[in-house]
Amino acid sequence: MEQAAERLRAQIVAGHWEVGGKLPGETTLARELGVGRSTVREALRALAGAGLVQPRQGAGVFVLATEPTADWPTRLRRAAVTDVYEVRMGLEVHAARLAARRRTPEDVAAMERALRGRRAASLRDDEAFIDADIAFHAAVVGAAHNPVLADLFTEFTPVLRQGLIELLTLTGLRTHDPNTADEAHEALVRAVADGDAEAAAEVVRAELEDPFAA
């Protein structure tokens, strides 16, 4: 199936069929590719998943684009860190609000452990500090008990991590304050533990409005 899909993909990318044009039927494609019709169907499903073709009930399969649509992780890797940061703000502000409403004693304990880990990492290099900072924020997101928010945050993590490391390197933000923004993180733990949803959201919003804050 992979070989058939790759051959069809190459033909589409090369413009063998125009965008909007209809592909030959399964029988014709199977004969041209030297495979069975079931293999053609699987190959077309793969190309549809890549955004290259679209089956239309009763009409056939049509070319949508000559370049595959990048999947979500790929798009994130290509995104500017400032764009990712803006989305991160919306996600984490909402997550903090939910965390204050839904937190359990175990969640608060996890946040406190993560805060201690962040403080310990302040004595180490930028990469270790950023890893500890992200672990802290992941604990807050986890306390929201929304698996979709948690999955989104996980998807953001690689590009966010690299961007924050680069920002710290360029700005030297930790030169005079190795544990930068510690008070804000402590205030966030306090607000979530107290169940103060609006205070928790405001702490995160204020911290993340500055893209140079960790």
Side-chain angles (χ1 to χ4, degrees):
M1 188 277 289
E2 290 84 359
Q3 289 182 345
E6 188 54 41
R7 286 180 62 185
L8 287 173
R9 182 196 303 268
Q11 288 178 303
I12 291 171
V13 171
H16 189 74
W17 299 289
E18 294 182 357
V19 173
K22 181 180 176 181
L23 268 64
E26 288 181 3
T27 301
T28 300
L29 289 176
R31 185 170 58 250
E32 290 178 354
L33 296 172
V35 298
R37 290 180 60 185
S38 61
T39 299
V40 170
R41 282 194 292 272
E42 290 298 319
L44 290 174
R45 283 196 194 97
L47 296 180
L52 290 174
V53 302
Q54 180 185 52
R56 299 176 188 169
Q57 186 67 34
V61 179
F62 293 81
V63 177
L64 281 183
T66 57
E67 291 293 335
T69 302
D71 59 20
W72 179 238
T74 300
R75 293 177 68 183
L76 278 177
R77 285 195 298 271
R78 295 173 180 171
V81 69
T82 50
D83 293 336
V84 173
Y85 213 92
E86 288 175 357
V87 177
R88 177 198 182 191
M89 180 187 291
L91 185 157
E92 288 201 50
V93 167
H94 187 53
R97 187 178 286 114
L98 292 177
R101 294 170 180 163
R102 300 173 178 175
R103 81 278 183 257
T104 65
E106 292 76 17
D107 293 327
V108 174
M111 291 174 61
E112 291 172 341
R113 284 195 302 272
L115 181 61
R116 291 194 295 272
R118 188 179 187 276
R119 287 169 172 166
S122 69
L123 302 176
R124 301 169 62 191
D125 60 23
D126 285 349
E127 290 195 23
F129 182 73
I130 290 300
D131 286 340
D133 181 73
I134 289 175
F136 172 86
H137 287 276
V140 178
V141 174
H145 294 281
N146 183 315
V148 177
L149 283 177
D151 287 346
L152 283 173
F153 185 81
T154 299
E155 293 282 2
F156 286 149
T157 297
V159 66
L160 182 65
R161 178 183 186 274
Q162 188 57 42
L164 290 175
I165 290 171
E166 291 173 1
L167 283 174
L168 287 183
T169 300
L170 289 171
T171 62
L173 184 65
R174 297 181 60 230
T175 302
H176 302 295
D177 184 8
N179 196 14
T180 182
D182 180 65
E183 291 182 1
H185 288 73
E186 183 176 6
L188 178 55
V189 174
R190 214 163 37 239
V192 171
D194 291 344
D196 192 335
E198 294 312 311
E202 178 58 25
V203 170
V204 175
R205 185 200 61 75
E207 179 200 352
L208 297 186
E209 272 191 344
D210 181 1
F212 295 95

